[in-house]
Short mmCIF file of all heavy atoms in Angstrom, two decimals:
data_model
loop_
_atom_site.label_atom_id
_atom_site.label_comp_id
_atom_site.label_asym_id
_atom_site.label_seq_id
_atom_site.Cartn_x
_atom_site.Cartn_y
_atom_site.Cartn_z
N ASP A 22 61.19 -71.98 -88.97
CA ASP A 22 60.24 -71.05 -89.57
C ASP A 22 58.83 -71.25 -89.01
O ASP A 22 58.13 -70.27 -88.73
CB ASP A 22 60.22 -71.24 -91.09
CG ASP A 22 61.49 -70.77 -91.78
OD1 ASP A 22 62.26 -70.03 -91.15
OD2 ASP A 22 61.71 -71.17 -92.94
N VAL A 23 58.43 -72.51 -88.84
CA VAL A 23 57.11 -72.79 -88.27
C VAL A 23 56.98 -72.15 -86.90
O VAL A 23 55.97 -71.50 -86.58
CB VAL A 23 56.86 -74.31 -88.19
CG1 VAL A 23 55.58 -74.59 -87.39
CG2 VAL A 23 56.75 -74.93 -89.57
N GLN A 24 58.00 -72.31 -86.07
CA GLN A 24 57.94 -71.73 -84.73
C GLN A 24 57.81 -70.21 -84.80
O GLN A 24 57.01 -69.62 -84.06
CB GLN A 24 59.19 -72.10 -83.92
CG GLN A 24 59.25 -71.39 -82.58
CD GLN A 24 60.15 -72.05 -81.57
OE1 GLN A 24 59.70 -72.89 -80.82
NE2 GLN A 24 61.42 -71.68 -81.57
N ARG A 25 58.57 -69.58 -85.68
CA ARG A 25 58.52 -68.12 -85.77
C ARG A 25 57.12 -67.65 -86.20
O ARG A 25 56.57 -66.70 -85.60
CB ARG A 25 59.57 -67.62 -86.77
CG ARG A 25 59.62 -66.09 -86.86
CD ARG A 25 60.79 -65.60 -87.66
NE ARG A 25 60.70 -65.93 -89.08
CZ ARG A 25 61.39 -66.90 -89.68
NH1 ARG A 25 62.22 -67.65 -88.97
NH2 ARG A 25 61.26 -67.12 -90.97
N TYR A 26 56.54 -68.31 -87.20
CA TYR A 26 55.23 -67.88 -87.69
C TYR A 26 54.13 -68.11 -86.64
O TYR A 26 53.22 -67.29 -86.51
CB TYR A 26 54.89 -68.62 -88.98
CG TYR A 26 55.88 -68.41 -90.10
CD1 TYR A 26 56.18 -69.43 -91.00
CD2 TYR A 26 56.54 -67.19 -90.26
CE1 TYR A 26 57.09 -69.25 -92.04
CE2 TYR A 26 57.45 -66.99 -91.28
CZ TYR A 26 57.73 -68.03 -92.17
OH TYR A 26 58.64 -67.84 -93.18
N ILE A 27 54.21 -69.21 -85.91
CA ILE A 27 53.23 -69.46 -84.86
C ILE A 27 53.32 -68.40 -83.78
O ILE A 27 52.30 -67.91 -83.27
CB ILE A 27 53.41 -70.88 -84.27
CG1 ILE A 27 52.88 -71.93 -85.25
CG2 ILE A 27 52.70 -71.01 -82.92
CD1 ILE A 27 53.07 -73.36 -84.81
N ASN A 28 54.53 -67.97 -83.46
CA ASN A 28 54.69 -66.93 -82.44
C ASN A 28 54.24 -65.57 -82.93
O ASN A 28 54.00 -64.66 -82.13
CB ASN A 28 56.14 -66.87 -81.95
CG ASN A 28 56.42 -67.91 -80.88
OD1 ASN A 28 55.53 -68.65 -80.47
ND2 ASN A 28 57.66 -67.97 -80.43
N GLU A 29 54.14 -65.41 -84.23
CA GLU A 29 53.58 -64.18 -84.78
C GLU A 29 52.06 -64.22 -84.80
O GLU A 29 51.39 -63.22 -84.53
CB GLU A 29 54.12 -63.93 -86.19
CG GLU A 29 55.61 -63.59 -86.23
CD GLU A 29 56.15 -63.47 -87.65
OE1 GLU A 29 55.34 -63.58 -88.61
OE2 GLU A 29 57.37 -63.26 -87.81
N ASP A 30 51.50 -65.40 -85.09
CA ASP A 30 50.04 -65.55 -85.15
C ASP A 30 49.40 -65.62 -83.77
O ASP A 30 48.24 -65.24 -83.59
CB ASP A 30 49.67 -66.82 -85.93
CG ASP A 30 50.07 -66.74 -87.40
OD1 ASP A 30 50.31 -65.62 -87.89
OD2 ASP A 30 50.13 -67.81 -88.05
N LEU A 31 50.13 -66.19 -82.80
CA LEU A 31 49.70 -66.29 -81.41
C LEU A 31 48.37 -67.05 -81.20
O LEU A 31 47.47 -66.58 -80.49
CB LEU A 31 49.59 -64.90 -80.77
CG LEU A 31 50.91 -64.14 -80.65
CD1 LEU A 31 50.66 -62.70 -80.19
CD2 LEU A 31 51.84 -64.85 -79.67
N PRO A 32 48.23 -68.24 -81.77
CA PRO A 32 47.06 -69.06 -81.43
C PRO A 32 47.21 -69.71 -80.06
O PRO A 32 46.24 -70.23 -79.52
CB PRO A 32 47.05 -70.11 -82.54
CG PRO A 32 48.50 -70.26 -82.92
CD PRO A 32 49.09 -68.89 -82.79
N TYR A 33 48.45 -69.69 -79.53
CA TYR A 33 48.73 -70.31 -78.24
C TYR A 33 49.42 -69.28 -77.33
O TYR A 33 50.37 -68.62 -77.75
CB TYR A 33 49.66 -71.51 -78.40
CG TYR A 33 49.30 -72.43 -79.54
CD1 TYR A 33 50.20 -72.64 -80.59
CD2 TYR A 33 48.07 -73.07 -79.58
CE1 TYR A 33 49.88 -73.47 -81.65
CE2 TYR A 33 47.75 -73.91 -80.64
CZ TYR A 33 48.65 -74.10 -81.67
OH TYR A 33 48.32 -74.92 -82.72
N ILE A 34 48.94 -69.19 -76.10
CA ILE A 34 49.57 -68.32 -75.11
C ILE A 34 50.37 -69.23 -74.19
O ILE A 34 49.83 -69.94 -73.34
CB ILE A 34 48.52 -67.53 -74.30
CG1 ILE A 34 47.62 -66.72 -75.26
CG2 ILE A 34 49.20 -66.62 -73.30
CD1 ILE A 34 48.36 -65.74 -76.16
N TRP A 35 51.68 -69.24 -74.38
CA TRP A 35 52.56 -70.18 -73.68
C TRP A 35 52.70 -69.84 -72.20
O TRP A 35 52.65 -68.68 -71.82
CB TRP A 35 53.96 -70.18 -74.31
CG TRP A 35 54.00 -70.37 -75.79
CD1 TRP A 35 54.43 -69.47 -76.72
CD2 TRP A 35 53.60 -71.54 -76.53
NE1 TRP A 35 54.34 -70.00 -77.99
CE2 TRP A 35 53.83 -71.26 -77.90
CE3 TRP A 35 53.08 -72.78 -76.17
CZ2 TRP A 35 53.54 -72.19 -78.90
CZ3 TRP A 35 52.79 -73.71 -77.17
CH2 TRP A 35 53.02 -73.41 -78.51
N THR A 36 52.91 -70.87 -71.38
CA THR A 36 53.22 -70.64 -69.96
C THR A 36 54.51 -71.39 -69.62
O THR A 36 55.59 -70.82 -69.70
CB THR A 36 52.05 -71.06 -69.05
OG1 THR A 36 51.70 -72.44 -69.29
CG2 THR A 36 50.84 -70.18 -69.29
N VAL A 37 54.42 -72.66 -69.23
CA VAL A 37 55.60 -73.45 -68.89
C VAL A 37 55.49 -74.83 -69.55
O VAL A 37 54.43 -75.23 -70.01
CB VAL A 37 55.75 -73.63 -67.36
CG1 VAL A 37 56.13 -72.33 -66.70
CG2 VAL A 37 54.45 -74.17 -66.75
N ARG A 38 56.62 -75.52 -69.58
CA ARG A 38 56.64 -76.85 -70.18
C ARG A 38 56.34 -77.93 -69.14
O ARG A 38 56.73 -77.81 -67.98
CB ARG A 38 58.00 -77.12 -70.83
CG ARG A 38 58.30 -76.15 -71.95
CD ARG A 38 59.55 -76.51 -72.71
NE ARG A 38 59.81 -75.47 -73.70
CZ ARG A 38 59.22 -75.38 -74.89
NH1 ARG A 38 58.36 -76.32 -75.25
NH2 ARG A 38 59.48 -74.40 -75.72
N SER A 39 55.66 -78.98 -69.59
CA SER A 39 55.33 -80.08 -68.69
C SER A 39 56.54 -80.97 -68.47
O SER A 39 57.39 -81.13 -69.35
CB SER A 39 54.20 -80.94 -69.29
OG SER A 39 52.98 -80.27 -69.25
N GLN A 40 56.59 -81.56 -67.29
CA GLN A 40 57.58 -82.58 -66.98
C GLN A 40 56.84 -83.88 -66.70
O GLN A 40 56.12 -84.00 -65.73
CB GLN A 40 58.40 -82.19 -65.75
CG GLN A 40 59.34 -83.28 -65.25
CD GLN A 40 60.44 -83.61 -66.24
OE1 GLN A 40 61.35 -82.81 -66.46
NE2 GLN A 40 60.35 -84.79 -66.85
N TRP A 41 57.01 -84.84 -67.59
CA TRP A 41 56.41 -86.15 -67.37
C TRP A 41 57.34 -86.99 -66.51
O TRP A 41 58.56 -86.96 -66.67
CB TRP A 41 56.20 -86.88 -68.69
CG TRP A 41 54.92 -86.58 -69.40
CD1 TRP A 41 54.76 -85.81 -70.51
CD2 TRP A 41 53.61 -87.06 -69.07
NE1 TRP A 41 53.44 -85.76 -70.88
CE2 TRP A 41 52.71 -86.54 -70.01
CE3 TRP A 41 53.12 -87.89 -68.05
CZ2 TRP A 41 51.35 -86.81 -69.98
CZ3 TRP A 41 51.76 -88.15 -68.02
CH2 TRP A 41 50.89 -87.62 -68.98
N VAL A 42 56.75 -87.76 -65.61
CA VAL A 42 57.50 -88.77 -64.89
C VAL A 42 56.68 -90.05 -64.86
O VAL A 42 55.45 -90.03 -64.91
CB VAL A 42 57.85 -88.36 -63.44
CG1 VAL A 42 58.71 -87.13 -63.40
CG2 VAL A 42 56.60 -88.20 -62.59
N VAL A 43 57.38 -91.18 -64.81
CA VAL A 43 56.77 -92.47 -64.55
C VAL A 43 57.32 -92.94 -63.21
O VAL A 43 58.53 -92.87 -62.96
CB VAL A 43 57.10 -93.49 -65.65
CG1 VAL A 43 56.68 -94.90 -65.25
CG2 VAL A 43 56.42 -93.09 -66.95
N VAL A 44 56.43 -93.37 -62.32
CA VAL A 44 56.82 -93.77 -60.97
C VAL A 44 56.31 -95.18 -60.72
O VAL A 44 55.20 -95.53 -61.13
CB VAL A 44 56.25 -92.81 -59.92
CG1 VAL A 44 56.90 -93.04 -58.56
CG2 VAL A 44 56.44 -91.35 -60.34
N ALA A 45 57.14 -95.99 -60.06
CA ALA A 45 56.77 -97.39 -59.82
C ALA A 45 57.17 -97.84 -58.43
O ALA A 45 58.09 -97.28 -57.80
CB ALA A 45 57.43 -98.29 -60.86
N SER A 46 56.48 -98.85 -57.95
CA SER A 46 56.83 -99.48 -56.68
C SER A 46 58.20 -100.14 -56.82
O SER A 46 58.68 -100.41 -57.93
CB SER A 46 55.79 -100.53 -56.31
OG SER A 46 54.51 -99.95 -56.20
N ASN A 47 58.81 -100.44 -55.69
CA ASN A 47 60.17 -100.97 -55.71
C ASN A 47 60.29 -102.40 -56.21
O ASN A 47 61.40 -102.88 -56.44
CB ASN A 47 60.78 -100.87 -54.31
CG ASN A 47 61.23 -99.45 -53.99
OD1 ASN A 47 61.46 -98.64 -54.89
ND2 ASN A 47 61.32 -99.13 -52.70
N ASN A 48 59.16 -103.10 -56.40
CA ASN A 48 59.24 -104.46 -56.92
C ASN A 48 59.04 -104.53 -58.43
O ASN A 48 59.03 -105.62 -59.00
CB ASN A 48 58.21 -105.37 -56.24
CG ASN A 48 56.77 -104.99 -56.58
OD1 ASN A 48 56.47 -103.81 -56.80
ND2 ASN A 48 55.90 -105.98 -56.62
N VAL A 49 58.91 -103.37 -59.07
CA VAL A 49 58.72 -103.36 -60.53
C VAL A 49 60.07 -103.22 -61.22
O VAL A 49 60.92 -102.43 -60.80
CB VAL A 49 57.79 -102.20 -60.95
CG1 VAL A 49 57.57 -102.21 -62.47
CG2 VAL A 49 56.44 -102.29 -60.22
N ARG A 50 60.28 -103.99 -62.27
CA ARG A 50 61.50 -103.91 -63.07
C ARG A 50 61.11 -103.72 -64.55
O ARG A 50 59.99 -104.01 -64.94
CB ARG A 50 62.34 -105.18 -62.92
CG ARG A 50 62.81 -105.46 -61.49
CD ARG A 50 63.82 -104.42 -61.04
NE ARG A 50 64.31 -104.72 -59.69
CZ ARG A 50 63.75 -104.27 -58.58
NH1 ARG A 50 62.65 -103.53 -58.65
NH2 ARG A 50 64.27 -104.56 -57.40
N GLY A 51 62.08 -103.27 -65.33
CA GLY A 51 61.79 -103.02 -66.74
C GLY A 51 60.86 -101.84 -66.93
O GLY A 51 59.97 -101.85 -67.77
N ILE A 52 61.08 -100.80 -66.13
CA ILE A 52 60.22 -99.61 -66.18
C ILE A 52 60.43 -98.84 -67.48
O ILE A 52 59.49 -98.36 -68.10
CB ILE A 52 60.50 -98.71 -64.97
CG1 ILE A 52 60.18 -99.44 -63.68
CG2 ILE A 52 59.70 -97.41 -65.06
CD1 ILE A 52 60.63 -98.71 -62.43
N MET A 53 61.68 -98.73 -67.88
CA MET A 53 61.99 -98.01 -69.12
C MET A 53 61.89 -98.97 -70.30
O MET A 53 61.99 -100.19 -70.14
CB MET A 53 63.39 -97.39 -69.01
CG MET A 53 63.49 -96.44 -67.81
SD MET A 53 65.17 -95.91 -67.45
CE MET A 53 65.45 -94.75 -68.77
N ASN A 54 61.68 -98.42 -71.47
CA ASN A 54 61.44 -99.25 -72.65
C ASN A 54 62.59 -100.22 -72.91
O ASN A 54 63.76 -99.82 -72.94
CB ASN A 54 61.22 -98.38 -73.89
CG ASN A 54 59.93 -97.60 -73.81
OD1 ASN A 54 59.00 -97.99 -73.09
ND2 ASN A 54 59.83 -96.51 -74.55
N GLY A 55 62.25 -101.50 -73.10
CA GLY A 55 63.25 -102.51 -73.40
C GLY A 55 63.73 -102.40 -74.84
O GLY A 55 63.29 -101.51 -75.59
N PRO A 56 64.64 -103.28 -75.26
CA PRO A 56 65.19 -103.22 -76.61
C PRO A 56 64.13 -103.36 -77.70
O PRO A 56 63.05 -103.93 -77.47
CB PRO A 56 66.16 -104.40 -76.66
CG PRO A 56 66.44 -104.74 -75.23
CD PRO A 56 65.20 -104.38 -74.48
N LEU A 57 64.44 -102.85 -78.88
CA LEU A 57 63.60 -103.06 -80.05
C LEU A 57 63.71 -104.52 -80.49
O LEU A 57 64.58 -105.25 -80.02
CB LEU A 57 64.05 -102.12 -81.17
CG LEU A 57 63.91 -100.61 -80.88
CD1 LEU A 57 64.54 -99.81 -82.00
CD2 LEU A 57 62.46 -100.22 -80.68
#
């Protein structure tokens, strides 16, 4: 419902979605989050 109402009010003019990446040198390990 929130999404529908926001698209009716149009406070945001959408374009495309962002793609985040994390990039590391080849000597880095544990790039992704370790265990809790």
Side-chain angles (χ1 to χ4, degrees):
D22 290 344
V23 171
Q24 173 160 270
R25 183 170 68 256
Y26 301 145
I27 285 178
N28 277 358
E29 291 175 4
D30 294 342
L31 296 172
Y33 316 118
I34 304 302
W35 309 115
T36 56
V37 289
R38 298 187 184 279
S39 289
Q40 172 65 70
W41 274 105
V42 299
V43 170
V44 192
S46 301
N47 283 338
N48 67 328
V49 181
R50 299 292 182 270
I52 298 171
M53 302 169 75
N54 292 337
L57 297 173

